[in-house]
Amino acid sequence: MISAAVAAAAVGFVPVTAQAAGPSADPGRAATATSPAPAAGSAKDAAVRDLAAQQAKAKADATARSAASAGARQGEYFDVFMGAVNSNAHSVGLATSASTDLTNSFVAYDIDWGDGTIDREYGPAGTNVYVNHRYAEVGAHKITITATDTYHKVSATTTQDIVLDGSEFTPHTPTRLLDTRDGTGTGAPAGRPVAPYTTTRVKIAGNGGIPAGVTAVALNITATNASSGGHVIAYASGTKQPATSNVNFVAGQTVPNLAIVPVGEDGYVELANRSEGPVDLIADVTGYFTRSAASGYTSVKPSRLVDTRTGLGAAAGPVAGRTTFGVQVAGQGGLPAAGVTAVALNITATGPKGSGHLTAFPSGQQAPSTSSVNFTAGQTVANAVIVPVGPDGKINIRNGAWDPADVIVDVTGYYSADGKAAYLPMEPERRFDSRTGTWPLAGQDYHYETMWTSGRALEAVVLNLTVTNTQGSGHLAVAPDPSTVADRIAGKAVRPTPPDSSVLNWTKGATVSNLVQASTGTSGVVDIWNRGWEPTDLIVDIFGTYEKN
């Protein structure tokens, strides 16, 4: 049975004429659509009343035709109705009902879901039947329902095409879509930074080889030449600006951060400058999501692939300026040896001798004119990236600075054709802010965040984590909690062990953000660790979920 909220959203209940027991229906009778979905709370009742009204009208039409026809007899009328609504990334909720003037009609509904699965449900005519179905693959499916009166053997059939809400990932060669410094990209006049408390638009669909119909995009957003402190908000064009943040910066700072941003119906995203001064913005794309089968996501236990300070995964010692080194991704850190199309990483630059940037890109290609991590001399800075993987299972990392820097690479997940989790964007939401009503996160302590799933099988959640009012240096680490919500209620929760990886680094007094694709493990609870020794305020924003099939 589907929930009241799902039933409420069911649309397009269309009557279909019987294929037996009497003459065909009046071809002039128009299909009737339901009213818009009612508010939550009375949702299911409203949907039932709406469907009942349709059935009553259809039956009244049939009775009127019957009375107008000499010698007409009972049993000429048998219609079936269907409404389907997507309830999550891989599932569809369905409501069906038959309407007839047959006496004591009991109906069998054969539901062909369009993926080789056929279910049978039963119910009296005029009574709504609710069913859920979970598909293995996202994309378009055709649902066919054949309703049969089990005694009179009268049948009617209806079909409906649906497209699941879940999206899968397609890697894209790192490409610059926006640079307000030189006017590159839609909405970016040459040499014109984004004015205070205004927005600039970035064309996604149909730009840089990205197709129409994209639902979300992976953008590395960089703020530079800022004249005052503030933050950037990325969101879908045509939607309300959310009360979340993606990139935080101070005057004179160059700061990148990965964002997975829903794309508006017009194919654009908006970038808002929430500061009192102008700021230049850069946006580089590394992939996009569509409602069709491509690459699904699989999370892995965070692990370290590269640390040039110790010689792990690369030559020991800082990476020389203007040089590139390769990183074996496939077969490492819990990833399969083949089939990986893109990888989710956290790349950290530490101990740089000068200012510059790192660029991550697939092996076998020339280094693009994009950036993944920006740094200044002596700074330790991390940034999440999604990098397409070359045919040899490797990626490359280039130090674009003139001076050497050490590089650390941690893996959190990967995309592949066999990946079972599809992405479901959501309205950005602030889940936690220690500045409002709680205490700062103490040193060597953790905050756990419970991810309400409403029956969904989550693989991971997309979070943006921000630390501010930092009282010392440190870093964040993120991992699934071994204890479930039920364990905590029962007093059986155990203190988890923090992972060895890092997702965000800071110094005293800094405000720093980073995107994290956090595995929910088997508990549905995510731990966020302060691995520094001094307290810090923590902000947690959520942007979407990866749902398994």
Side-chain angles (χ1 to χ4, degrees), residues 189-200:
R192 294 281 298 277
V194 183
Y197 299 104
T198 64
T199 64
T200 188

Side-chain angles (χ1 to χ4, degrees), residues 214-535:
V214 292
T215 58
V217 63
L219 288 179
N220 198 59
I221 301 169
T222 302
T224 190
N225 300 326
S227 59
S228 66
H231 63 273
V232 176
I233 303 174
Y235 60 102
S237 173
T239 64
K240 181 181 178 180
Q241 188 176 116
T244 53
S245 64
N246 297 93
V247 186
N248 292 73
F249 54 85
V250 297
Q253 192 178 28
T254 296
V255 185
N257 197 22
L258 179 67
I260 297 179
V261 191
V263 177
E265 293 184 1
D266 61 359
Y268 286 79
V269 301
E270 303 274 355
L271 302 181
N273 171 19
R274 303 296 297 172
S275 75
E276 296 182 351
V279 63
D280 278 309
L281 296 179
I282 303 165
D284 300 326
V285 62
T286 59
Y288 55 86
F289 296 83
T290 58
R291 290 182 179 175
S292 56
S295 293
Y297 184 70
T298 303
S299 57
V300 297
K301 180 181 178 181
S303 62
R304 186 146 292 174
L305 299 183
V306 173
D307 190 339
T308 60
R309 298 172 302 178
T310 63
L312 174 66
V319 180
R322 316 299 289 181
T323 65
T324 300
F325 70 96
V327 179
Q328 180 66 42
V329 171
Q332 304 296 314
L335 277 64
V340 177
T341 59
V343 62
L345 303 172
N346 202 68
I347 299 179
T348 303
T350 187
K353 303 303 182 184
S355 298
H357 66 272
L358 302 177
T359 299
F361 59 101
S363 65
Q365 298 184 12
Q366 295 293 319
S369 57
T370 58
S371 61
S372 303
V373 183
N374 295 72
F375 51 83
T376 57
Q379 186 181 27
T380 296
V381 58
N383 195 33
V385 295
I386 298 175
V387 189
V389 176
D392 57 358
K394 295 182 178 181
I395 66 167
N396 290 331
I397 297 178
R398 176 174 173 78
N399 178 7
W402 291 103
D403 298 298
D406 275 307
V407 177
I408 302 167
V409 180
D410 297 321
V411 61
T412 58
Y414 65 94
Y415 299 88
S416 67
D418 294 334
K420 304 303 182 185
Y423 185 61
L424 191 64
M426 60 184 289
E427 182 177 348
E429 174 190 351
R430 180 143 290 175
R431 293 292 299 266
F432 177 76
D433 188 339
S434 65
R435 301 170 301 177
T436 58
T438 61
W439 297 99
L441 182 58
Q444 300 301 313
D445 202 359
Y446 73 101
H447 165 76
Y448 69 87
E449 194 69 36
T450 300
M451 301 300 164
W452 181 69
T453 61
S454 184
R456 298 174 182 172
L458 292 187
E459 173 75 15
V461 290
V462 176
L463 306 174
N464 201 68
L465 304 181
T466 303
V467 294
T468 189
N469 301 322
T470 55
Q471 298 180 36
S473 297
H475 67 271
L476 289 183
V478 176
D481 195 302
S483 301
T484 65
V485 175
D487 292 333
R488 294 182 181 281
I489 294 174
K492 298 179 180 179
V494 297
R495 183 175 175 85
T497 301
D500 294 330
S501 57
S502 65
V503 299
L504 187 156
N505 298 71
W506 68 84
T507 55
K508 184 177 180 179
T511 296
V512 184
S513 299
N514 201 11
L515 180 134
V516 180
Q517 303 203 118
S519 169
T520 53
T522 58
S523 67
V525 179
V526 174
D527 293 332
I528 304 166
W529 285 86
N530 174 6
R531 299 296 288 153
W533 293 101
E534 303 294 337

Side-chain angles (χ1 to χ4, degrees), residues 41-318:
S42 62
K44 185 173 182 178
D45 290 341
V48 169
R49 287 195 302 269
D50 187 67
L51 180 54
Q54 293 179 64
Q55 294 170 324
K57 183 181 184 303
K59 191 168 185 178
D61 291 345
T63 301
R65 290 195 306 274
S66 204
S69 302
R73 63 187 185 278
Q74 185 188 44
E76 294 180 350
Y77 165 64
F78 186 82
D79 286 346
V80 62
F81 303 78
M82 173 171 57
V85 58
N86 296 347
S87 55
N88 45 48
H90 280 277
S91 298
V92 64
L94 181 147
T96 185
S97 180
S99 182
T100 183
D101 58 3
L102 295 169
T103 303
N104 298 323
S105 177
F106 192 76
V107 182
Y109 299 94
D110 291 305
I111 306 170
D112 185 340
W113 296 102
D115 63 351
T117 303
I118 298 177
D119 291 333
R120 171 165 282 197
E121 301 289 338
Y122 293 92
T127 299
N128 304 315
V129 175
Y130 300 97
V131 190
N132 263 346
H133 181 69
R134 182 174 291 274
Y135 288 92
E137 287 290 349
V138 301
H141 302 273
K142 181 184 288 293
I143 302 173
T144 302
I145 299 180
T146 300
T148 304
D149 182 287
T150 57
Y151 178 72
H152 299 278
K153 306 303 180 185
V154 181
S155 66
T157 299
T158 184
T159 64
Q160 184 168 327
D161 293 315
I162 61 102
V163 179
L164 296 179
D165 282 344
S167 299
E168 292 195 348
F169 185 75
T170 299
H172 190 284
T173 300
T175 304
R176 184 146 293 172
L177 300 184
L178 173 76
D179 191 338
T180 61
R181 299 172 301 177
D182 60 13
T184 301
T186 301
R192 294 281 298 277
V194 183
Y197 299 104
T198 64
T199 64
T200 188
R201 287 160 55 80
V202 184
K203 181 176 175 60
I204 302 299
N207 190 15
I210 302 172
V214 292
T215 58
V217 63
L219 288 179
N220 198 59
I221 301 169
T222 302
T224 190
N225 300 326
S227 59
S228 66
H231 63 273
V232 176
I233 303 174
Y235 60 102
S237 173
T239 64
K240 181 181 178 180
Q241 188 176 116
T244 53
S245 64
N246 297 93
V247 186
N248 292 73
F249 54 85
V250 297
Q253 192 178 28
T254 296
V255 185
N257 197 22
L258 179 67
I260 297 179
V261 191
V263 177
E265 293 184 1
D266 61 359
Y268 286 79
V269 301
E270 303 274 355
L271 302 181
N273 171 19
R274 303 296 297 172
S275 75
E276 296 182 351
V279 63
D280 278 309
L281 296 179
I282 303 165
D284 300 326
V285 62
T286 59
Y288 55 86
F289 296 83
T290 58
R291 290 182 179 175
S292 56
S295 293
Y297 184 70
T298 303
S299 57
V300 297
K301 180 181 178 181
S303 62
R304 186 146 292 174
L305 299 183
V306 173
D307 190 339
T308 60
R309 298 172 302 178
T310 63
L312 174 66

